[in-house]
DNA sequence: ACTTCGACCTGTTGGC
DNA sequence: TGCCAACAGGTCGAAG
C-alpha cells in the first residue's frame, strides 16, 4: 500500500487531528513488527505532547515534547484516527489514546512496518540519516540524477528505488514514471542521457504530485486516515497491466523482473536507447 | 564501492 | 469447493 503519496495523504489527514494533543495511553498488542517494539515504548510515549507531524521519504514523523516517534507502514501498514473505541481486529497492533478522545490505531497484517521512538534529532537517526533527496524538492533535478547514475550498472528502475539516492519512489510509481518518460526500466543507469534524465525527473514529480492530489493509490485496499480510499489506480498506465495493450501504442505490455521486483513496460514506447 | 540475495510476515488470487 | 503455489505496495543487512 504505502508509497510516498500514501504517506503524504495520511500525514495531511492526521495533521490537524493530532497536533497539540497529549498521549494519554499506549496499548501494544503485538511487538513483533519489522523491529521488535522496545519494552519501554509505552512508557516513553505516555504524557508526551504531539507538537507537529512531518514526513521524510516514507517515514511519518511525530514530533513530541522531547523525543520523536518514527512510523513506517512497510507493505501493509495502515494508520487510522478512530473517533470512538472499536474492538481491535487481529492485525490492530498498536493503539495510541489521545487527549481529544481520538485513538490512533496502527494496523499491519504483514508486520513489515515499524514504530520507533527516537531521542535524537531526526537528521541524525540511523534510519533517516542516509536517505537521499526528496523527489518533490528542487534538490531532485536532472543534474543530480545524472550525477548519481555515474558508473552505476544496475537498471535505472532499481536505481530509482534506492532510497539513498531519492526517497519515496516505490515499485508502482517507478514503473509509471519510466513509462511516462519513455525509458526502459532495465536500461543500465549510467546510460541515461541528459534529456532522459530531465524527462525522468519530470515524470517522477508529475506522477507523485498527481497521486497525492488524488489521495494516493487504491491498488488493493489503501484507505487514508479516515478510511476513505484513494482513486489513483484508475490512472495507472502500466503497473498491474502486463499482457494488456499499451494505452499509447497498443502493443502488449511486458512483465520482467529487476532486482526481485516486478516491472511492467511497453517494449515499443520504452526502448533501451 | 557496487550489486545481489535472503529475510521478515500474512492475505489474496489463480490454476488445477 | 478445496488445496497449493505464486505473488504482493518495502527495505535492511549480509554475502558476493
Amino acid at each position: 500500500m504505502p508509497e510516498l503519496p500514501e504517506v503524504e495523504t495520511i500525514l495531511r489527514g492526521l495533521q490537524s487531528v493530532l497536533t497539540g494533543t497529549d498521549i494519554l495511553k499506549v496499548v501494544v498488542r503485538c511487538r513483533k513488527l519489522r523491529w521488535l517494539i522496545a519494552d519501554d515504548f509505552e512508557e516513553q510515549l505516555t504524557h508526551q505532547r504531539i507538537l507537529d507531524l512531518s514526513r521524510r521519504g516514507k517515514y511519518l514523523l511525530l514530533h513530541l515534547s522531547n523525543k520523536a516517534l518514527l512510523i513506517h507502514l512497510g507493505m501493509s501498514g495502515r494508520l487510522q484516527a478512530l473517533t470512538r473505541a472499536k474492538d481491535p481486529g487481529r492485525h490492530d497492533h498498536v493503539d495510541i489514546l489521545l487527549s481529544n478522545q481520538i485513538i490512533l490505531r496502527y494496523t499491519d497484517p504483514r508486520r513489515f512496518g515499524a514504530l520507533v521512538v527516537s531521542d535524537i534529532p531526526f537528521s541524525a537517526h540511523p534510519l533517516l540519516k542516509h536517505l537521499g533527496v526528496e523527489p518533490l524538492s528542487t534538490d531532485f533535478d536532472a543534474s543530480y540524477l545524472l550525477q548519481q547514475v555515474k558508473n552505476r550498472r544496475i537498471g535505472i528502475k532499481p536505481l530509482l528505488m534506492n532510497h539513498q539516492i531519492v526517497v519515496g519512489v516505490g515499485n508502482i510509481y517507478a514503473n509509471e514514471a519510466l513509462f511516462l518518460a519513455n525509458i526502459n526500466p532495465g536500461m543500465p543507469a549510467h546510460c541515461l542521457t541528459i534529456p532522459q534524465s530531465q524527462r525522468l525527473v519530470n515524470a517522477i514529480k508529475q506522477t507523485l504530485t498527481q497521486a497525492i492530489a488524488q489521495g494516493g493509490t487504491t491498488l488493493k485496499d489503501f484507505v487514508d486516515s479516515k478510511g476513505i480510499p484513494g482513486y489513483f489506480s484508475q490512472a495507472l498506465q502500466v503497473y498491474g497491466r502486463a499482457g494488456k495493450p499499451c494505452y499509447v501504442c497498443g502493443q502488449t505490455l511486458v512483465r520482467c523482473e529487476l532486482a526481485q521486483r516486478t516491472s511492467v513496460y511497453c517494449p515499443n514506447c520504452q526502448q533501451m536507447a
Side-chain angles (χ1 to χ4, degrees), chain A residues 13-229:
Chain A
L14 291 178
Q15 195 120 42
S16 61
V17 179
L18 303 192
T19 300
T21 64
D22 295 316
I23 295 174
L24 300 184
K25 192 179 171 191
V26 178
V27 178
V28 180
R29 297 184 196 87
C30 172
R31 313 193 87 83
K32 211 175 157 216
L33 301 183
R34 182 171 222 290
W35 293 288
L36 212 57
I37 292 181
D39 287 338
D40 61 355
F41 181 82
E42 295 93 326
E43 187 188 334
Q44 291 243 33
L45 292 182
T46 305
H47 305 313
Q48 291 279 312
R49 174 160 295 181
I50 301 176
L51 303 175
D52 197 12
L53 282 74
S54 64
R55 175 187 63 73
R56 178 78 175 96
K58 295 175 189 170
Y59 286 91
L60 190 65
L61 314 177
L62 302 205
H63 305 248
L64 308 176
S65 308
N66 60 12
K67 58 195 78 183
L69 174 60
L70 323 193
I71 301 176
H72 196 294
L73 302 176
M75 289 271 236
S76 57
R78 202 170 132 182
L79 268 181
Q80 280 187 283
L82 303 177
T83 51
R84 58 178 59 192
K86 244 174 80 179
D87 287 345
R90 180 145 89 102
H91 304 299
D92 295 333
H93 306 312
V94 179
D95 280 356
I96 298 177
L97 291 84
L98 303 170
S99 53
N100 61 354
Q101 312 306 320
I102 294 278
I103 301 168
L104 183 63
R105 174 165 288 180
Y106 179 78
T107 308
D108 189 357
R110 287 180 74 179
R111 289 190 271 130
F112 283 3
L115 282 80
V116 178
V117 175
S118 169
D119 287 304
I120 55 177
F122 289 135
S123 55
H125 194 278
L127 286 172
L128 305 181
K129 68 179 174 188
H130 298 296
L131 294 181
V133 300
E134 286 287 332
L136 295 177
S137 74
T138 52
D139 293 339
F140 184 58
D141 61 17
S143 67
Y144 172 81
L145 184 56
L146 281 172
Q147 184 64 34
Q148 296 299 316
V149 299
K150 272 188 191 162
N151 304 320
R152 304 298 293 270
R153 295 171 171 273
I154 56 167
I156 185 67
K157 176 166 174 275
L159 181 127
L160 287 181
M161 294 175 67
N162 177 350
H163 60 227
Q164 302 206 17
I165 293 173
V166 57
V167 295
V169 182
N171 201 30
I172 297 177
Y173 298 111
N175 278 303
E176 293 300 310
L178 285 161
F179 174 78
L180 248 190
N182 293 131
I183 296 169
N184 190 290
M187 186 181 81
H190 67 89
C191 294
L192 199 71
T193 64
I194 294 172
Q196 283 176 327
S197 181
Q198 187 62 64
R199 291 210 306 273
L200 190 48
V201 165
N202 290 347
I204 289 168
K205 288 178 191 282
Q206 184 188 326
T207 307
L208 295 176
T209 303
Q210 191 190 347
I212 291 169
Q214 299 185 20
T217 180
T218 177
L219 212 228
K220 289 228 190 314
D221 55 5
F222 175 71
V223 290
D224 69 13
S225 59
K226 300 192 193 86
I228 297 171

Side-chain angles (χ1 to χ4, degrees), chain A residues 237 241 243-248 250-253:
Chain A
Q237 303 285 302
R241 296 196 64 245
K244 294 181 176 152
C246 171
Y247 287 133
V248 172
Q251 277 246 335
T252 302
L253 299 179

Side-chain angles (χ1 to χ4, degrees), chain A residues 245-264:
Chain A
C246 171
Y247 287 133
V248 172
C249 76
Q251 277 246 335
T252 302
L253 299 179
V254 171
R255 143 194 236 126
C256 71
E257 187 164 298
L258 291 166
Q260 301 161 293
R261 305 304 298 277
T262 294
S263 299
V264 184

